[in-house]
Amino acid sequence: MNKPSNTFDIAIEPSFDFLSPEYAELFDRSAATAFQHPVWLHSLYTRLAPETDATALVVVVRYRDTGALAMVLPLLRIRRGPIRTIEFADLRVSDYLAPVCSPDVFSQLLHDAAACAQIRRLVRPFDLLRMAKLPDGRLPIEDLLATSRRVSMNTNAYATVLVAPYEQWRASAMDRSYQKELAKKYRQLQKKGALSFSCCSDSAAVLETMEVMRKFRGPRFHAQGDGDLLQRPEYYGFYSDVALRGLGSFVRLYAMKMNGEVIAAVLGLCHRDSFLVIMSAFDIAGYKSQSIGALMFEQVARDCIERGDQMLDFTIGDEPYKKSFGAQASPMWEVTQVGSAVGAIALFALKQAPWLKLAAKRLSDLKVQPAHTARPTR
């Protein structure tokens, strides 16, 4: 019954090196998302996980004949009260989750019953295995782990297709009246002083802009009744580390300045001709009449088009402003698997009483613990 695969060697490697050349090569040929990028996962496992009492559970699959990487499944063990959970490497910072593997190799794994059985044994024990934020049309992780069928998360991701030149995209993506309104607001903003827009190009600019983002976001999200991740030292350290390590390649940090002072910022990831927005901040108090957020995203779209990007991805969340830029919705999915009676009770409670999710989240916030699978506040 526990016969090993004839093709693959499978093991848990808690100290797997995500910055290694072999992982970079695997990632480049995989169907993974920006949130499995070497820099992202290195920072998540080395900086964020230890601060949130999450334990690395990295499933590594290699070809037996050559030792070459075939798949990496980046998971975490997290205890939430009495519940032992298995989750993707997320900790509220990742939007899209996927195995790091090519479609062909994933299909090969699915047809290897011994390999699937071994992977399922290695991730146990758990009370509840829960994986959310699965993009539409990605590798069927539920078949590999023998979970329930995927179900909708009741939230969507949004992205707009970019076309050059910028004026053509703007005309096709945005209502004419909205274009006029933003043009008027931009003229008003320009009259207030020396306005500039740029992408941070050195570490000093990154650190300055990250600090301003933290300042702007604190009062905004506190007023909404939910804390902002950037206010926590461990999360601020994570995002800053990613921004610095990925500067000039994997990460772009945009800043809009008035008279040399940052008044708006957008942090995002670059992946396969797409720019994925992961965090933004605006001086709403100082420029509440100028729609500064919308003006900032206009400038981001212009820069992305000039760089040759094909997609501006606003990631997860049903905020209305995304449709104003021509963004189309795509569904997000989750899968679950119960591993014990305690897990069954927990899953039933979550399904029957959604308010428990919010209560659990606020409790974890107070304890400075990692939150569950809910999308991070952006």
Side-chain angles (χ1 to χ4, degrees), residues 194-212:
L195 184 67
S196 65
F197 173 85
S198 63
C199 187
C200 296
S201 59
D202 56 53
S203 59
V206 167
L207 294 174
E208 175 196 15
T209 305
M210 289 296 299
E211 185 58 40
V212 173

Side-chain angles (χ1 to χ4, degrees), residues 115-127:
C116 290
Q118 191 173 356
I119 291 172
R120 294 164 193 169
R121 287 195 301 272
L122 285 173
V123 300
R124 290 184 177 271
F126 58 82
D127 296 311

